[in-house]
Amino acid sequence: MDTHSPGTKEEGAWGGSDLPPSRQLRLLHLSEIDEADELEQVWLNDFRDVQAVLAEGGGNDEKVQAALQERASSDKGHARVVNGLLFGNICDRSRSPEFFRYLTLVVRDGYAYVCKQLQRIVNEKFTKMIDRGAVQASPQQIQLLELVRRLIGLDVGNGIDRVFLALLRQIQGGSVRETNRWLTRILLQISIENKAWLLEQLDIVHIVFYTFCRVAADHSDPKLEKMRRQEAALCSEIWRERPAECRKLGRDAVRVMQD
């Protein structure tokens, strides 16, 4: 398992376990009857350790960078630093640019662990990142999508395509809920903004094509006309540029295009 158990601490390099939380940051929206989530507790503990490093740095950026890089020099330390920075990116919007910059400085495996953890979060926790019955996306979901957008913009390999695919699979066909439309709209924007990247992702480009063809049929409301045109334009370009990949869908490709 890539993450350590909640409450375990390495002696020496990692300090700050006794620091009180500065704010009630959270990754998941759990009710009072829900059990504490192990992954959230692991990330929160690691985030507090990152906070301790920043506090010890006293505003000296070079000192903070050196301390984080030192802690990330081992495999276990790298995982803990990355966990903490991912938590900060997703849960502390005001400081996310700072945490993202530190993330780019400490990664030592081409973002493989980052992508693996993000894929796990999307697959296992995405629906728990929002209150039940909420009509809008949560700040955590918004920040997660922004983090994915940034990583795709960096042309990160080693699994960011799988993270994007996992997010696509969160889109529910036939749903008119605003949260579903929001997710569709953001992933559509990311696809359009990073079209060159998308067309190179031969393992998922046909699924992108299928997803947006399918949901375009749900956007018949005149208020969604602009979005529907964008979906149609993207799908037309994917079909034109990657016909062989689209044909992997077989009859499904013909069906969604007719819809």
Side-chain angles (χ1 to χ4, degrees):
M1 185 175 179
D2 294 311
T3 53
H4 55 281
S5 299
T8 59
K9 296 285 177 183
E10 292 180 73
E11 296 182 0
W14 281 90
S17 60
D18 296 326
L19 285 176
S22 58
R23 285 182 290 158
Q24 292 300 316
L25 297 175
R26 59 178 181 172
L27 176 67
L28 307 178
H29 289 238
L30 303 177
S31 70
E32 294 180 356
I33 63 174
D34 290 324
E35 294 183 3
D37 185 87
E38 181 179 350
L39 184 142
E40 181 177 38
Q41 291 302 309
V42 168
W43 279 26
L44 178 57
N45 287 339
D46 292 339
F47 176 68
R48 288 173 178 165
D49 288 331
V50 168
Q51 283 184 308
V53 172
L54 269 62
E56 291 166 5
N60 186 320
D61 192 57
E62 291 184 2
K63 184 176 179 181
V64 171
Q65 288 183 35
L68 290 175
Q69 289 171 337
E70 179 183 355
R71 284 158 173 75
S73 60
S74 68
D75 289 344
K76 189 171 184 179
H78 177 261
R80 297 188 64 177
V81 172
V82 168
N83 289 344
L85 291 172
L86 287 176
F87 185 94
N89 268 280
I90 296 171
C91 303
D92 192 348
R93 183 177 183 179
S94 65
R95 300 184 69 185
S96 62
E98 176 186 10
F99 292 129
F100 183 76
R101 184 169 63 85
Y102 286 134
L103 183 66
T104 64
L105 294 172
V106 302
V107 164
R108 51 194 292 268
D109 62 351
Y111 293 90
Y113 181 78
V114 168
C115 293
K116 185 175 182 180
Q117 290 297 86
L118 290 178
Q119 186 177 355
R120 180 182 178 192
I121 283 290
V122 174
N123 286 334
E124 299 178 13
K125 314 294 183 183
F126 191 76
T127 57
K128 296 180 180 180
M129 295 174 74
I130 187 171
D131 288 327
R132 295 181 179 91
V135 296
Q136 292 183 327
S138 69
Q140 293 87 346
Q141 289 178 323
I142 292 171
Q143 286 302 113
L144 172 60
L145 268 291
E146 178 60 26
L147 177 57
V148 172
R149 184 200 298 268
R150 288 175 175 174
L151 292 171
I152 290 175
L154 292 179
D155 198 16
V156 168
N158 290 325
I160 194 62
D161 59 329
R162 311 313 294 178
V163 180
F164 191 76
L165 177 59
L167 285 166
L168 279 175
R169 287 175 171 161
Q170 297 297 320
I171 295 175
Q172 300 173 1
S175 171
V176 295
R177 293 184 61 187
E178 178 55 36
T179 51
N180 194 59
R181 288 178 178 175
W182 166 81
L183 180 59
T184 304
R185 183 166 57 251
I186 298 300
L187 293 180
L188 176 63
Q189 290 173 358
I190 293 175
S191 298
I192 293 171
E193 291 169 3
N194 299 278
K195 203 175 299 178
W197 170 85
L198 177 62
L199 292 172
E200 293 302 317
Q201 309 309 308
L202 302 186
D203 290 337
I204 70 167
V205 68
H206 61 295
I207 302 176
V208 176
F209 169 83
Y210 176 81
T211 300
F212 287 119
C213 273
R214 183 191 62 182
V215 297
D218 300 331
H219 299 155
S220 57
D221 187 327
K223 295 179 181 179
L224 302 175
E225 179 60 27
K226 180 180 178 181
M227 185 174 174
R228 184 181 172 93
R229 288 201 307 267
Q230 290 177 328
E231 289 164 340
L234 176 65
C235 292
S236 295
E237 184 163 359
I238 293 175
W239 179 267
R240 184 172 64 253
E241 297 293 333
R242 294 291 181 265
E245 282 66 34
C246 292
R247 291 192 183 100
K248 294 177 182 177
L249 296 167
R251 293 180 179 178
D252 284 340
V254 177
R255 180 172 57 81
V256 294
M257 289 178 70
Q258 288 176 341
D259 292 342

